[in-house]
Amino acid sequence: MKQMISDAAGEGVTLIVVSAYREAASCTLTTGTCAKGVSNHQKGLAVDFSGFKTGPASDSRYVWLKNNASKYGFYNQLVDLGKRDEYNHWSTTGR
């Protein structure tokens, strides 16, 4: 993760993690924060970056991640599956 953020910065793209690991107690189904027991945040496998949760897909941070994150083991399949409010969510599983 540190190397990915550093490499992005070297190309003029600032990535700031605003959410990573979430304890089960912080998960709420009503707010959609994460589903208890199944969230990749709860498992320590996902991060959210600041500033572009709802896109657009042309945001320089999203474009950089889309083109490069897989080199560091991070993926975002949620946007491809139609979840347009998850541009900032990247995980080792893609979900």
Side-chain angles (χ1 to χ4, degrees):
M1 173 68 63
K2 287 181 182 181
Q3 188 63 54
M4 180 171 74
I5 291 170
S6 176
D7 290 350
E11 295 182 32
V13 176
T14 301
L15 298 175
I16 299 170
V17 175
V18 292
S19 181
Y21 175 75
R22 296 180 190 155
E23 293 185 13
S26 71
C27 294
T28 62
L29 296 177
T30 55
T31 63
T33 305
C34 56
K36 291 183 180 180
V38 298
S39 166
N40 278 334
H41 283 285
Q42 192 177 348
K43 294 175 183 176
L45 303 176
V47 297
D48 291 340
F49 295 100
S50 71
F52 61 107
K53 181 175 176 60
T54 58
S58 61
D59 184 285
S60 62
R61 294 161 292 190
Y62 176 75
V63 171
W64 192 93
L65 287 164
K66 181 97 173 143
N67 292 330
N68 296 284
S70 64
K71 298 172 192 171
Y72 305 90
F74 286 87
Y75 307 90
N76 179 327
Q77 295 174 339
L78 297 175
V79 171
D80 295 336
L81 294 172
K83 292 202 61 143
R84 299 296 180 214
D85 62 342
E86 295 287 351
Y87 287 92
N88 67 328
H89 177 87
W90 294 78
S91 72
T92 58
T93 67
R95 299 197 179 245

